[in-house]
Amino acid sequence: MKKLRIVFMGTPDFAVPSLQILLETGYDIAAVVTAPDKPSGRGMRISGSAVKDFAASRNLKILQPEKLKNPEFLSELKSLQVDLQVVVAFRMLPESVWNMPPMGTINLHGSLLPQYRGAAPVNRAIMNGEAETGVTTFKLQHEIDTGHILLQEKMKIGDSETAGELHDRMKLVGAGLLLRTVNGLADGSLVEISQSDLVSATGDTDLHPAPKISSDTCEIDWEKDISDIYNLVRGLSPYPAAFTFLNGRKLKIFKAKKEYVDLTGKPAEHFTDNKSFLKFSCINGNLHLMEVQLEGKKRLNIEDFLRGWRD
């Protein structure tokens, strides 16, 4: 099997296992393309991405272009003369980049395409109450997340699983799928499947998008069903986190549990014993808060939160 020469493109922690597995399998990683350094943390210190940190630890060539259409960057990328480019959790590429290598560019996506195309597939699947999701590798083309599918692997979503927990499982499952994909491309055994053909074959035309999460998405509407609110909390935990207001102050909710009961109060009304529970009413139950963060304070479990707060 030919050991391909590869440029890897990625930025966050999600992409690190994919880069690591390709490197440790023996593929020639000619360069790693990642985001420019930026301020982060409380001290706003300039720091590199998770992918940059890993690449530096393995003495890999690192490119951090501000603009992907920059002629100098394109010239350097071309000079690497790679067979394939691999993208995991990176920004949208111009055609001048994704169409450069002879074998094209492949991407790892956190859903079973064509479902949940977009920037937030992990969050949106949980927010919609899905019991199953997965990972997909596909060839990049003009429209985002619409390229021909190479491989897929399904994953169950736990009843109480958060987006953060699913993310951590998915980055490992995705790395394994990516390796199988690159191996299949190297030995010529993979057959590409168009997403339109897949939709026609399954008859599943009800496609759910996965647009970027906005602040409006995160505010809880207590007029909704308890299951919808519970799924919103799970799907936005730990970041950016669902929120409501408690006595006029913003309260982020990271973990909660649902209780189906006849309405015990008006929607958004809260109840507490000031010791062990804090719950909010919705139209068909209560949401018991388990981990929260009040504006300007630390993230705490509900018992510790209530020790320092009185209604």
Side-chain angles (χ1 to χ4, degrees), residues 275-302:
K275 294 180 180 179
S276 62
F277 76 84
L278 173 62
K279 59 185 179 180
F280 280 76
S281 290
C282 66
I283 59 172
N284 63 335
N286 296 318
L287 189 76
H288 285 255
L289 279 51
M290 298 172 65
E291 286 188 28
V292 298
Q293 182 178 17
L294 192 64
E295 186 177 5
K297 302 294 183 179
K298 294 181 180 180
R299 175 175 172 173
L300 298 168
N301 64 46
I302 198 62

Side-chain angles (χ1 to χ4, degrees), residues 56-83:
S57 74
R58 300 302 178 92
N59 297 313
L60 298 174
K61 182 180 180 65
I62 299 169
L63 302 177
Q64 296 178 273
E66 291 282 351
K67 296 181 179 180
L68 296 176
K69 292 183 179 181
N70 182 294
E72 291 182 5
F73 168 67
L74 293 175
S75 177
E76 186 167 13
L77 196 61
K78 188 174 182 179
S79 71
L80 295 172
Q81 297 183 329
V82 299
D83 303 296

